[in-house]
Amino acid sequence: MYHFLKSTVITPKINKDIFRKSFGFHSQIRWNSKNSKNDDFKNIRNIGIIAHIDAGKTTTTERMLYYSGFTNMMGEVHDGDTIMDYMVQERERGITISSAAITFKWKNHKINLIDTPGHVDFTFEVERSLSVLDGAVVILDASAGVEVQTLKVWEQANRYGVPSIIYLNKLDKPAADTDMCLSSIEKKLKVKPLMLHVPVGKGKEFEGVIEPLLMTKHMWDRKGTGKDGTNFLSQNLSCNQEDSYFKFILKERAKIIENIADLDDIFADKYLTEGIESLTDGDFQSALRRITLKRMAVPVFCGSSYKNIAVQLLMDAVLDYLPYPSERNYDIASLDSDELCALAFKTIHNKNKEPLTFLRLYSGLLKSGQRVYNKNRGSSEKVVKLMVPLADNFKEVPSTSPGNIVVATGFKEVVTGDLLFSSGSAASKVFPKQSDVLEPLIQVPDPVFFCTIEPPSVGFQKRLEFALQCLQREDPTFRVEFDEAIGQTIIMGMGELHIDVIKERIRVEYGINAYLGPLQVAYRETLGKIVEHTHILDRSISGSKHFTKITMKLYPQTSPLKHVNVIVTKDNDLGKIRSDYLKTVNEGVKSALDNGPLLSYPVINVGIDLLWLEVGKGTSLTMLSAAASQCVMGAFRKSEMRLLEPIMRLSIAVNKGYAGRVLNDLSQKRSQILNMELRDDVEIIQALTPLSELRGYSTQLRALTSGTCSFTLEFSDYQKMESSEQEKTIQEVTGFSSF
């Protein structure tokens, strides 16, 4: 007999030592669990929802908030009334632009959840969210499987060592295919999927799921009073050997058990010695939790968030299989548990344009009015107020404990990636040397598009500068520079949509109808060949003589230049080079690399050896830096410099009847076709295409396919341009030929 039942959470006891693995922040942060009490953290989950665009992240989050009792209505993306997509631009476009954090309760647990964007232009929002999260829910469109942006967010989660579960959403779509999804997970994500749900019904008939391990069936009423999905019917499957579907479920159950035994030694030992009959539901969940936290495989669940099916089971899975804070091993050693350690991972501005800083606490308490030490800036600041984030609303609290995500006000200097401690002495325990340089904990990608920006009149100039300053602090991928050569402000971003959203935010939030110049591609420059150059600076200024002779060798390399390599020989005496001289030479070199000789774009993929340095008595460090810079620029003039253009990974979903047109158009855009895959009547085309060929591509593609296709693109790498294309680009940018 069916009965109303919500699935039961079983949280097994965990041997924390099993999970001792260096996760996140490149071994710079670690929990000090010696004095911590795990019971304080067991009821906390810090999770992120990550996925390809339109996979259903925000819809799933809205259902979670509804079923948890946080809200009494279900927000819909297409209606523009969601809690998580609160920005005007998000509601107008129906996409997530900025990651939104929220805290809610589910079955006596506190879930700190971050809903992230799926569009590639805002992938940094995913990056900084994953840097502070303990677990992730990866959502797939069950009709599409693993898509381009799914690969990107999975790679980001792996880089931070974030354990994940996968949710196959949109099982109600006619083209939904769980077998295809599992195959794409295994082939593209390179991880073993453990399918813990079997869907009941297909397409429009999808109405529930079966859990083979627990032999439980859950059914949702999609009509009448039960259409909001709050209540669902559950029953234990009874043995019926004549039922072929029951035999199929038993087969699936045996398959999962075998996979778990292959991955978990504790489970395998009991399975082999005591038999399958001895295994309990607790054994299954304990083993799956160990496997998930060690990222040996990924549990897979299914449902339809829009149709209100199986979201509660996904929320149970978050509690069952994703880690609580002290199960993640963040590598800050020797920090006493009562000493504060927190990471600033996001900044926004309230209606009064005061900065609100999002913090993840790793140890110690944080209180309103407390002063904290910023290791990155070497300064102290006072916390004015502490608040719990509730999307675009905030609830003030007097203090917060480790393992939580909180918002602080009052910071003037803190930016994304800064590490905060209770004091300078606490920071020195982690970074003993005052000269320790912190590598960025959150990697910020370089922008690929730029354009000029102007206020509507001179009277708006200061307001525009303030707006750009605030937006740049909120979004590190958005950059602003003033070009003295043309006397204009340049803004740089990750794509056309990114720049367009920035313009809209300036108009809506700051009341400035700014004018943008035409979008231009952010090229790079590099060496065409190995070159060696000597520069002599011999100058008298105000009666003081400055002399420097410097020789450098420049050569192509694939890795970024960190510093000049000092080549010591018995003739050059560079083994005794003064540290201040070497630091100054590096500063001069980096200054020269900022502006290449072709189009003044940054020079990358260059290695530099210092072969000779002779500095006259009384020569200032400023002159030495200038000599180093001029030596590099002289070497550029001797080398055959080449332009590098950004190459984008393009994925197009198009009806078969239009595939030929799209391929023909791509061939004219210097594209390299990587793969073609047929899914039902839709052709998936993947290609590498120069960014310069993709300006306005969405409009072109709609015209080619009568608006029946979609596409995504993400930055792949920089590649050298052919000589003819380089000459064409130089003429377009400068109006002159390089010959």
Side-chain angles (χ1 to χ4, degrees):
M1 180 180 293
Y2 286 95
H3 56 280
F4 287 101
L5 174 72
K6 292 189 179 181
S7 52
T8 304
V9 178
I10 300 176
T11 307
K13 293 183 179 179
I14 301 298
N15 180 354
K16 190 172 58 177
D17 292 334
I18 293 174
F19 310 111
R20 290 295 178 200
K21 188 174 181 182
S22 180
F23 284 143
F25 303 162
H26 311 289
S27 298
Q28 289 188 354
I29 299 181
R30 176 166 55 195
W31 279 94
N32 178 11
S33 57
K34 183 169 59 176
N35 298 319
S36 66
K37 298 179 180 179
N38 280 349
D39 291 342
D40 296 340
F41 307 115
K42 280 187 177 179
N43 292 337
I44 297 175
R45 298 292 184 276
N46 294 308
I47 65 165
I49 307 290
I50 60 177
H52 185 86
I53 191 170
D54 288 335
K57 297 180 298 299
T58 301
T59 300
T60 301
T61 303
E62 294 293 320
R63 298 313 187 258
M64 289 181 171
L65 297 178
Y66 179 78
Y67 296 135
S68 69
F70 181 88
T71 179
N72 58 8
M73 64 163 286
M74 291 185 187
E76 301 291 357
V77 173
H78 55 269
D79 291 335
D81 60 358
T82 61
I83 292 175
M84 302 304 281
D85 286 349
Y86 56 84
M87 292 173 61
V88 174
Q89 295 77 18
E90 292 177 317
R91 293 185 169 181
E92 287 178 349
R93 290 174 166 82
I95 62 171
T96 301
I97 292 171
S98 176
S99 57
I102 200 160
T103 299
F104 61 93
K105 296 290 184 67
W106 178 247
K107 296 188 174 179
N108 298 319
H109 287 68
K110 180 166 75 170
I111 297 179
N112 298 316
L113 181 146
I114 298 181
D115 179 27
T116 66
H119 197 286
V120 67
D121 282 17
F122 309 106
T123 189
F124 179 71
E125 289 291 325
V126 183
E127 181 84 17
R128 63 173 160 192
S129 298
L130 286 171
S131 70
V132 298
L133 294 173
D134 299 322
V137 177
V138 182
I139 300 183
L140 304 186
D141 180 337
S143 66
V146 175
E147 300 177 84
V148 174
Q149 190 63 8
T150 314
L151 287 168
K152 178 67 175 178
V153 298
W154 184 262
E155 173 194 320
Q156 290 171 306
N158 278 344
R159 187 162 63 249
Y160 290 102
V162 178
S164 305
I165 60 177
I166 291 179
Y167 174 59
L168 304 184
N169 191 22
K170 304 187 179 183
L171 258 293
D172 59 298
K173 294 176 71 172
D177 187 340
T178 56
D179 290 337
M180 178 272 293
C181 289
L182 294 176
S183 176
S184 66
I185 290 170
E186 198 155 13
K187 291 179 181 177
K188 296 180 180 179
L189 301 185
K190 310 298 182 186
V191 66
K192 188 173 188 62
L194 299 176
M195 188 71 174
L196 302 186
H197 283 176
V198 173
V200 178
K202 187 173 182 181
K204 292 183 179 180
E205 303 302 317
F206 174 64
E207 55 185 346
V209 298
I210 291 175
E211 296 182 277
L213 274 182
L214 306 180
M215 294 301 287
T216 306
K217 185 176 185 179
H218 308 282
M219 300 293 289
W220 276 258
D221 178 13
R222 294 173 52 182
K223 300 177 182 178
T225 57
K227 65 181 181 180
D228 70 349
T230 300
N231 296 313
F232 54 94
L233 299 166
S234 297
Q235 74 170 158
N236 296 324
L237 297 180
S238 59
C239 182
N240 183 354
Q241 297 299 330
E242 302 302 321
D243 188 339
S244 60
Y245 192 71
F246 182 79
K247 291 180 180 179
F248 168 73
I249 296 300
L250 286 179
K251 184 178 178 181
E252 289 297 304
R253 185 173 190 268
K255 188 191 301 182
I256 297 172
I257 291 173
E258 291 289 343
N259 286 331
I260 295 174
D262 287 340
L263 295 166
D264 186 75
D265 292 340
I266 298 173
F267 181 88
D269 183 60
K270 184 171 183 179
Y271 174 44
L272 295 174
T273 57
E274 301 180 29
I276 192 170
E277 297 80 8
S278 68
L279 299 174
T280 65
D281 293 349
D283 291 328
F284 296 137
Q285 290 191 321
S286 296
L288 284 167
R289 186 176 180 83
R290 289 190 292 268
I291 290 168
T292 305
L293 267 61
K294 289 190 284 188
R295 299 187 295 129
M296 300 172 67
V298 58
V300 180
F301 306 89
C302 61
S304 172
S305 298
Y306 183 62
K307 297 297 183 181
N308 310 320
I309 298 176
V311 175
Q312 295 98 322
L313 302 185
L314 177 64
M315 296 167 75
D316 290 343
V318 167
L319 306 186
D320 290 343
Y321 304 120
L322 293 182
Y324 47 84
S326 56
E327 287 181 315
R328 288 295 305 283
N329 208 3
Y330 299 96
D331 218 8
I332 279 193
S334 70
L335 184 60
D336 296 334
S337 59
D338 59 345
E339 295 279 17
L340 171 71
C341 175
L343 175 69
F345 68 94
K346 183 179 173 72
T347 297
I348 62 173
H349 290 80
N350 62 16
K351 293 179 181 179
N352 298 323
K353 303 311 173 192
E354 297 169 332
L356 309 178
T357 305
F358 287 71
L359 304 174
R360 165 66 196 268
L361 267 66
Y362 295 103
S363 64
L365 292 175
L366 183 61
K367 301 177 182 179
S368 296
Q370 180 178 343
R371 293 196 69 83
V372 297
Y373 176 76
N374 186 335
K375 169 61 180 174
N376 300 66
R377 312 290 150 203
S379 60
S380 294
E381 293 191 75
K382 183 180 179 180
V383 177
V384 175
K385 285 195 295 186
L386 279 179
M387 299 178 289
V388 173
L390 305 172
D392 59 337
N393 292 314
F394 303 91
K395 178 183 177 183
E396 189 171 352
V397 293
S399 63
T400 188
S401 57
N404 283 299
I405 290 172
V406 70
V407 176
T409 68
F411 292 144
K412 305 297 183 185
E413 297 183 17
V414 176
V415 297
T416 295
D418 283 358
L419 270 176
L420 307 180
F421 295 88
S422 49
S423 63
S425 60
S428 65
K429 294 178 184 178
V430 183
F431 304 97
K433 297 180 181 178
Q434 204 65 24
S435 60
D436 280 349
V437 177
L438 284 176
E439 290 188 12
L441 300 182
I442 305 174
Q443 299 299 320
V444 181
D446 290 328
V448 293
F449 270 124
F450 70 94
C451 65
T452 58
I453 185 169
E454 297 177 1
S457 66
V458 176
F460 284 91
Q461 182 64 43
K462 287 190 176 180
R463 285 174 59 184
L464 178 60
E465 290 174 359
F466 176 71
L468 294 176
Q469 180 184 355
C470 291
L471 292 171
Q472 193 173 12
R473 185 173 181 181
E474 289 186 18
D475 181 2
T477 63
F478 172 63
R479 301 183 191 176
V480 182
E481 292 181 0
F482 183 77
D483 191 322
E484 295 183 357
I486 61 175
Q488 286 187 304
T489 301
I490 307 293
I491 62 173
M492 294 169 277
M494 301 304 297
E496 291 179 273
L497 178 60
H498 189 197
I499 296 290
D500 188 45
V501 167
I502 290 292
K503 179 184 177 183
E504 277 298 295
R505 290 192 64 189
I506 292 173
R507 182 182 67 82
V508 173
E509 297 174 25
Y510 295 87
I512 306 169
N513 195 14
Y515 169 76
L516 299 186
L519 281 180
Q520 299 182 55
V521 176
Y523 295 98
R524 295 291 184 266
E525 301 181 26
T526 193
L527 295 178
K529 63 180 182 181
I530 300 174
V531 63
E532 187 176 311
H533 183 69
T534 299
H535 179 77
I536 298 176
L537 184 148
D538 190 355
R539 187 176 303 174
S540 294
I541 300 177
S542 300
S544 299
K545 183 175 177 60
H546 302 270
F547 175 83
T548 298
K549 181 179 180 181
I550 185 169
T551 301
M552 292 183 180
K553 177 182 178 181
L554 280 65
Y555 49 89
Q557 68 176 20
T558 55
S559 58
L561 177 71
K562 293 184 177 180
H563 52 76
V564 172
N565 299 311
V566 179
I567 307 301
V568 180
T569 68
K570 61 181 181 181
D571 298 322
N572 63 19
D573 209 26
L574 288 178
K576 301 177 182 178
I577 185 173
R578 284 169 44 177
S579 59
D580 58 337
Y581 282 179
L582 184 57
K583 181 180 179 181
T584 302
V585 168
N586 275 289
E587 290 173 353
V589 166
K590 289 179 179 178
S591 173
L593 294 178
D594 286 341
N595 297 281
L598 292 177
L599 294 173
S600 296
Y601 289 110
V603 179
I604 63 173
N605 299 346
V606 174
I608 300 179
D609 292 345
L610 178 62
L611 305 180
W612 184 271
L613 179 62
E614 186 178 344
V615 182
K617 185 177 180 180
T619 301
S620 70
L621 294 179
T622 302
M623 286 298 177
L624 175 57
S625 177
S629 180
Q630 291 166 10
C631 182
V632 172
M633 290 189 286
F636 288 162
R637 289 189 289 270
K638 292 168 66 174
S639 177
E640 299 170 357
M641 298 296 290
R642 299 289 300 275
L643 272 184
L644 298 172
E645 61 179 341
I647 303 297
M648 309 302 288
R649 183 177 290 274
L650 183 63
S651 180
I652 306 171
V654 58
N655 292 339
K656 284 197 299 184
Y658 295 102
R661 297 184 189 179
V662 173
L663 288 170
N664 182 59
D665 181 62
L666 288 175
S667 67
Q668 298 176 39
K669 296 182 181 298
R670 300 187 285 130
S671 296
Q672 175 190 349
I673 306 300
L674 298 177
N675 185 43
M676 294 182 63
E677 178 183 347
L678 185 63
R679 295 179 189 164
D680 296 326
D681 292 330
V682 177
E683 195 86 50
I684 308 298
I685 302 170
Q686 293 187 343
L688 292 176
T689 306
L691 179 60
S692 59
E693 304 284 354
L694 295 174
R695 282 175 284 196
Y697 188 59
S698 58
T699 303
Q700 299 170 26
L701 200 56
R702 280 196 297 269
L704 277 174
T705 62
S706 301
T708 60
C709 78
S710 61
F711 79 99
T712 60
L713 74 162
E714 66 168 326
F715 174 74
S716 174
D717 58 3
Y718 278 97
Q719 293 182 10
K720 289 182 181 180
M721 301 180 72
E722 297 291 337
S723 299
S724 58
E725 290 296 331
Q726 175 170 313
E727 173 61 21
K728 179 182 174 182
T729 300
I730 292 175
Q731 285 184 320
E732 287 178 352
V733 174
T734 65
F736 299 97
S737 170
S738 61
F739 296 129

